[in-house]
Amino acid sequence: MSSSAMPAVEVDHLVKTYSGGRKQPDVRALDDLSFAIPAGTVYGLLGPNGAGKSTTTKICTTLSAATSGSARVSGFDVRGDADAVRQHIGYVSQGTAADPRQTPMENLMMSARLRGISRPDATDRSKALLAQFDLSEAADRKVSKLSGGMRRKLDVALGLVHSPSVLFLDEPTTGLDPEARAEMWAEIRRLAAEKALTVVLTTHYLEEADELADRLVIIDHGRSVIEGTPSELKATLDGDTLSVELLEPDVAAVRRAAESIPALRHVVVEARGTSGRLFARADDPAAIIGRVISAFDSAGIEFGAVSVSRPSLDDVYLHYAGRAYQIDAGTVDNTDKVSA
Ligand SMILES: Nc1ncnc2c1ncn2[C@@H]1O[C@H](COP(=O)(O)OP(=O)(O)OP(=O)(O)O)[C@@H](O)[C@H]1O
């Protein structure tokens, strides 16, 4: 295989089981997960909390060993060639990497020197990264005095100090305010333009994966739900989405009412406590809103807003995982699927 055709990351039938501890069952965090990341792309690992994204990243960055299966990064096996893998990767974990008592410049210099880079080269690289991430003015301020967004940018800069070919970003925008998130998105887009760099972006934000990822894999319960470009994934769904807010929902009654409308397909009814939502696909949902309202009225179903939208990654997740993305599977009281 030529180097240009070689995937930057190959994950092959990964299984990871964590011991559950005393009297607790084991946790199968990864359950036969496979995907391949083309070099020079931004690749999204997308999934809800607990899906197995961090576990995948930890195995690919040699921080954790798989129970079975294999992973290769830049052509090197994470188990057999761990040192070579570490030389080729940058890893920005969920927690901050920078020392808060030091300045950004000191943090970058320390990181570069630890990587064996000479002092003059480390100085040049640190200054270039500070400029790239718009941190030059803050270069000599203590990290503890920087905003959350600036710290996060410094974390990413630290991951790039040795010019890796694959950069793993684990939830880079979690906890950032909207302005700092927008800035981080702009930084990631700039990194994406560097053809020599592959970015593996772990996120539980659907819109982040949609905005930034060239391709993505949706992970759920340690398995790949579906993989492709955001537009390919959306194009697999037929029709548009109808969504109805439910009040005090009786799932069986909602299901019966939905079943009475043949134009509604892939109906999913979710209920949590006193609220819920019906999702369905239809070729022209706007044209059948009237029928939905009269069916619900005659069945005595209380409902709130009715909305229609083009397919989004939320819909892709709903379709392939079988439940809405926002609702944590562990807290759903009653989910009922109807394939019409
Ligand atoms: N060290 C561990 N010991 C036991 N169970 C673990 C450990 N690390 C993760 N898990 C469990 O493995 C599953 C996958 O966790 P993981 O952190 O990989 O998910 P994630 O998709 O990254 O979610 P998050 O965004 O919340 O980090 C979860 O059920 C989690 O509780």
PDB file of all heavy atoms in Angstrom, residues 101 299 319:
ATOM      1  N   ARG A 101       0.889  27.428  36.672  1.00  0.00           N
ATOM      2  CA  ARG A 101       1.831  28.364  37.335  1.00  0.00           C
ATOM      3  C   ARG A 101       2.849  28.926  36.357  1.00  0.00           C
ATOM      4  O   ARG A 101       3.610  29.813  36.686  1.00  0.00           O
ATOM      5  CB  ARG A 101       2.563  27.645  38.481  1.00  0.00           C
ATOM      6  CG  ARG A 101       1.626  27.176  39.591  1.00  0.00           C
ATOM      7  CD  ARG A 101       2.274  26.109  40.410  1.00  0.00           C
ATOM      8  NE  ARG A 101       2.681  24.988  39.556  1.00  0.00           N
ATOM      9  CZ  ARG A 101       3.303  23.900  39.978  1.00  0.00           C
ATOM     10  NH1 ARG A 101       3.620  23.762  41.234  1.00  0.00           N
ATOM     11  NH2 ARG A 101       3.633  22.933  39.123  1.00  0.00           N
ATOM     12  N   ALA A 299     -57.607  11.506  19.295  1.00  0.00           N
ATOM     13  CA  ALA A 299     -57.182  10.488  20.270  1.00  0.00           C
ATOM     14  C   ALA A 299     -56.990  11.108  21.659  1.00  0.00           C
ATOM     15  O   ALA A 299     -56.571  10.410  22.590  1.00  0.00           O
ATOM     16  CB  ALA A 299     -55.878   9.858  19.788  1.00  0.00           C
ATOM     17  N   HIS A 319     -32.181   7.609  13.563  1.00  0.00           N
ATOM     18  CA  HIS A 319     -32.520   6.544  12.617  1.00  0.00           C
ATOM     19  C   HIS A 319     -31.694   5.283  12.883  1.00  0.00           C
ATOM     20  O   HIS A 319     -32.220   4.178  12.900  1.00  0.00           O
ATOM     21  CB  HIS A 319     -32.274   7.045  11.190  1.00  0.00           C
ATOM     22  CG  HIS A 319     -32.763   6.117  10.130  1.00  0.00           C
ATOM     23  ND1 HIS A 319     -34.085   6.048   9.765  1.00  0.00           N
ATOM     24  CD2 HIS A 319     -32.115   5.193   9.375  1.00  0.00           C
ATOM     25  CE1 HIS A 319     -34.228   5.140   8.817  1.00  0.00           C
ATOM     26  NE2 HIS A 319     -33.046   4.599   8.566  1.00  0.00           N
TER      27      HIS A 319
END
